[in-house]
């Protein structure tokens, strides 16, 4: 599968980027993905790189360059900036290679109690819908509970009025806000770090934290978005309040389910760089880097995403090139500050502080010892993954959570064996390649 969205994180490499430049950069990096010329031309004709945010001139929390429908002018995008919370206009995240259904992300519209309208915003949503020739409808996914979305109308924001947008389907994802996630996280940490507990109440106490319920709700919404794109062949617009927490979770998980590239080691790094870092998840604010104590803005949104990835990996153990050790390493260095990857709140701040030149990337470390993070059972599964999510399949991520227990630290007994299997697989692949080359040389010599 091919995704135009792979390129967004690369746009800073060119002073005047073009879609063709981004295509060429991506192809040079990942030749293993096939891309037909006809699909490339189709993509170029319907989408374009928007440069209004060059130098972060209009949207602090967005990348300098992002992709919008080719039929939408810069003036329309600029008008839409004033109608979306924090200026976070609809931007392309992923494009289906066959039906051309897209996943775009943004923030909530500023409709308010008077239910204001914005012609340019309605035009932009319509053009996103028209970019998909297979379906006549577009689905808007508001990740929040309906009560929360309506409450935001009193603050001048809210959600799209379906009657104002042509051929849309609208739904609420019922995912709780950052404060509910923080409270659940605190309860779970308190539970797993208790030296002594009543064993008969372990499951009831675990259920009372609601953490697994929240993980379930996030996964269910991600599967619904992926199914809409894959099976209904409809484009989906995703947003929550400001579009950098729940939106990042659902967009990246849906892409993980849809696109096998993101289930590779390289692809997962790209996914985090693009959907979380470039699109402005506030890592410093959500992790309280540099603070002496936890603030009301702390929330384990990214950790919850890693937990969700682990859950999917348990259901599809052969579909991910990377293993649990990668997720644990990312979770550890989310807070360690040993690397610059998760510092600050946006690309703009990281550029101003010269993070890329003054610190080392976590991916540099990961890519220098890849064997520690590879899954020896990996078999590329090109089709979309659409798991059935229920509480019967949701499990506690013991390798992460039980690491906090003072006496019962959970060690992964399979790690050493995994390393042996990875080494064995590499040796077999190398020997097979050497045999193939030798056989070809022998045939050539025989013919001559």
């Amino acid at each position: 599968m091919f995704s135009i969205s792979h390129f967004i994180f690369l746009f800073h490499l060119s002073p005047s980027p073009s879609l063709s430049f981004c295509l060429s950069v991506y192809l040079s990096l990942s030749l293993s993905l096939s891309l037909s010329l006809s699909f490339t031309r189709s993509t170029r004709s319907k989408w374009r790189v928007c440069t209004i945010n060059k130098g972060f001139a209009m949207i602090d929390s967005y990348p300098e360059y992002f992709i919008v429908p080719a039929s939408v002018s810069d003036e329309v995008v600029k008008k839409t900036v004033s109608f979306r919370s924090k200026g976070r206009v609809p931007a392309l995240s992923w494009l289906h290679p066959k039906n051309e259904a897209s996943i775009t992300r943004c923030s909530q519209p500023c409709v308010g109690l008077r239910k204001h309208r914005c012609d340019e915003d309605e035009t932009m949503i319509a053009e996103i819908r028209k970019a998909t020739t297979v379906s006549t409808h577009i689905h808007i996914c508001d990740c929040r509970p309906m009560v929360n979305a309506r409450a935001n109308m009193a603050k001048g924001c809210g959600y799209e009025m379906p009657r104002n947008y042509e051929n849309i389907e609208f739904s609420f994802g019922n995912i709780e806000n950052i404060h509910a996630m923080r409270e659940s996280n605190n309860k779970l940490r308190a539970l797993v770090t208790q030296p002594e507990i009543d064993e008969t109440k372990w499951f009831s106490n675990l259920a009372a934290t609601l953490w697994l319920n929240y993980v379930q709700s996030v996964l269910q919404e991600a599967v619904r978005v992926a199914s809409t794109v894959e099976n209904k062949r409809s484009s989906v617009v995703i947003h929550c309040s400001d579009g950098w927490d729940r939106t990042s979770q659902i967009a990246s998980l849906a892409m993980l389910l849809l696109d096998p590239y993101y289930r590779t080691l390289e692809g997962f790094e790209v996914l985090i760089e693009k959907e979380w870092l470039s699109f402005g998840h506030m890592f410093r604010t959500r992790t309280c880097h540099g603070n002496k104590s936890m603030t009301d803005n702390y929330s384990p949104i990214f950790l919850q995403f890693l937990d969700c990835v682990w859950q999917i990996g348990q259901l599809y153990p052969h579909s991910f090139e990377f293993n649990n050790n990668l997720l644990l390493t990312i979770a550890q260095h989310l807070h360690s500050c040993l690397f610059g990857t998760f510092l600050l709140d946006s690309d703009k701040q990281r550029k101003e502080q010269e993070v890329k030149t003054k610190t080392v990337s976590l991916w540099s470390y990961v890519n220098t010892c890849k064997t520690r993070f590879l899954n020896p059972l990996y078999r590329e599964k090109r089709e979309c993954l659409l798991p059935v999510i229920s509480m019967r399949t949701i499990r506690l991520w013991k390798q992460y959570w039980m690491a906090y227990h003072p006496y019962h630290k959970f060690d992964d007994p399979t790690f050493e064996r995994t390393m042996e299997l990875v080494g064995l697989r590499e040796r077999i692949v190398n020997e097979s390649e050497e045999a193939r080359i030798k056989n070809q040389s022998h045939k050539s010599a025989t013919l001559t």
Side-chain angles (χ1 to χ4, degrees), residues 270-303:
V270 170
L271 185 67
I272 293 173
E273 282 285 333
K274 182 173 67 65
E275 292 301 312
W276 290 88
L277 291 159
S278 289
F279 275 101
H281 177 67
M282 301 190 299
F283 279 97
R284 181 183 183 277
T285 300
R286 293 290 179 257
T287 57
C288 291
H289 286 159
N291 293 356
K292 292 182 179 179
S293 60
M294 190 183 298
T295 69
D296 287 341
N297 287 319
Y298 170 84
S299 193
I301 300 300
F302 185 70
L303 173 62

Side-chain angles (χ1 to χ4, degrees), residues 233-328:
R233 299 182 289 183
S234 295
S235 293
V236 180
V237 177
I238 305 172
H239 71 74
C240 49
S241 295
D242 293 322
W244 50 45
D245 290 316
R246 288 165 283 195
T247 301
S248 295
Q249 287 181 325
I250 301 306
S252 52
L253 286 170
M255 291 158 61
L256 194 76
L257 294 169
L258 285 162
D259 196 333
Y261 171 71
Y262 293 122
R263 300 194 288 270
T264 66
L265 181 62
E266 176 194 272
F268 193 63
E269 294 170 2
V270 170
L271 185 67
I272 293 173
E273 282 285 333
K274 182 173 67 65
E275 292 301 312
W276 290 88
L277 291 159
S278 289
F279 275 101
H281 177 67
M282 301 190 299
F283 279 97
R284 181 183 183 277
T285 300
R286 293 290 179 257
T287 57
C288 291
H289 286 159
N291 293 356
K292 292 182 179 179
S293 60
M294 190 183 298
T295 69
D296 287 341
N297 287 319
Y298 170 84
S299 193
I301 300 300
F302 185 70
L303 173 62
Q304 192 174 56
F305 161 72
L306 295 178
D307 199 327
C308 289
V309 174
W310 180 83
Q311 302 287 346
I312 300 172
Q314 299 307 294
L315 298 174
Y316 299 96
H318 305 289
S319 297
F320 289 80
E321 186 185 32
F322 55 88
N323 59 24
N324 177 59
N325 191 42
L326 176 69
L327 301 178
L328 291 172

Side-chain angles (χ1 to χ4, degrees), residues 48-54 58-59 64-82 89 120 124:
R48 70 176 180 88
V49 177
C50 182
T51 62
I52 66 165
N53 200 41
K54 184 177 180 180
M58 298 196 71
I59 314 168
E64 290 189 84
Y65 308 100
F66 52 91
I67 296 177
V68 298
S71 55
V72 174
S73 67
D74 282 350
E75 290 305 312
V76 169
V77 178
K78 289 176 182 178
K79 291 286 182 66
T80 306
V81 167
S82 61
V89 299
E120 289 78 10
M124 196 162 186

Side-chain angles (χ1 to χ4, degrees), residues 328-392:
L328 291 172
T329 299
I330 295 173
Q332 175 189 357
H333 294 298
L334 172 64
H335 296 280
S336 73
C337 296
L338 290 176
F339 302 95
T341 305
F342 301 120
L343 298 182
L344 305 177
D345 285 337
S346 66
D347 267 359
K348 179 184 179 181
Q349 292 180 7
R350 284 184 283 273
K351 187 173 183 179
E352 290 173 345
Q353 298 299 321
E354 301 178 6
V355 169
K356 290 185 179 179
T357 58
K358 293 182 177 179
T359 67
V360 177
S361 169
L362 172 60
W363 315 129
S364 297
Y365 163 69
V366 169
N367 293 327
T368 55
C369 49
K370 285 186 176 181
T371 54
R372 293 180 58 85
F373 306 109
L374 293 178
N375 173 17
L377 303 179
Y378 173 64
R379 296 291 181 272
E380 185 176 354
K381 188 180 177 75
R382 288 197 166 273
E383 61 265 31
C384 173
L385 307 180
L386 293 175
V388 176
I389 304 298
S390 84
M391 287 306 295
R392 288 174 290 183

